[in-house]
Amino acid sequence: MFEEIDQKKNKLDQKRPLPVHTLRSIREHLIVNWTYHSNAIEGNTLTLSETKVALEGITIGGKTIKEHLEVINHKEAILYVEDIVRRKEPLSEWQVKSIHRLILKSIEDEHAGVYRNENVIISGATHIPPDFTQVKGLMEDLIQQYEMHWLSNVHAVERACLLHIEFVKIHPFIDGNGRTARLLLNFELMQNGYPPIVIEKEDRAEYYTALDVAHTTGDSSQFVGLVKRILNHTFDLYLRLI
């Protein structure tokens, strides 16, 4: 199921250590694109070039402070994920809350890193997230499932997908769940030596449909297929540049 991806991973691993300047330019490209697309999926109206400028600390005329903060916060969240991967920290609820806290910092401080205390629905989805009273227990169960079953029995790429799917299914926060979920997906990929991927805004419809299918039927194959396709293209880019 993941043979082609793992063959490309082995090819890339054989080229390590990777060229410093190439790696730096790939990372800079990734931060801008990941931030732009993840925010755009959630309705941020900054363009790709505006996102790049905002990351350099320049204010874009006609755009809201919230949209600027979403860009700055997302970069900080990426840097945090890179740091915990570098330190090989295992996944925990604390990390999940810390990632989310960065996403909503100075935007909705009262909800940043705090599980929701009211019920929500996901616009356009069939699946309805669980009652808020169940969130804490379900998040504890998710981490336990991850530690006790997925780590030893599930391929890393599929594990990253399941983590994303189940997190979004719980929808533990008032806002910022999608961005947090995509950071968690890449956290798991990076922890296992895979490059992070960018789910682009052009894939939004396919992405949301695949998630809703997984949530309502338990069939994650459509979502896994989407991630595999993007990961394959990401490996192709790395191998072409290095």
Side-chain angles (χ1 to χ4, degrees), residues 52-75:
K52 184 178 187 300
V53 170
L55 286 171
E56 294 167 356
I58 300 170
T59 303
I60 310 298
K63 301 297 182 177
T64 65
I65 294 296
K66 179 176 182 284
E67 288 183 306
H68 285 82
L69 287 171
E70 285 174 346
V71 166
I72 294 162
N73 288 358
H74 193 271
K75 179 182 178 179

Side-chain angles (χ1 to χ4, degrees), residues 23-70:
L23 205 56
R24 184 179 300 149
S25 66
I26 289 173
R27 180 175 176 270
E28 289 171 358
H29 174 80
L30 168 73
I31 288 173
V32 174
N33 277 267
W34 184 357
T35 297
Y36 163 67
H37 285 286
S38 198
N39 282 335
I41 285 173
E42 306 300 332
N44 188 297
T45 66
L46 267 68
T47 65
L48 180 61
S49 59
E50 287 172 342
T51 298
K52 184 178 187 300
V53 170
L55 286 171
E56 294 167 356
I58 300 170
T59 303
I60 310 298
K63 301 297 182 177
T64 65
I65 294 296
K66 179 176 182 284
E67 288 183 306
H68 285 82
L69 287 171
E70 285 174 346

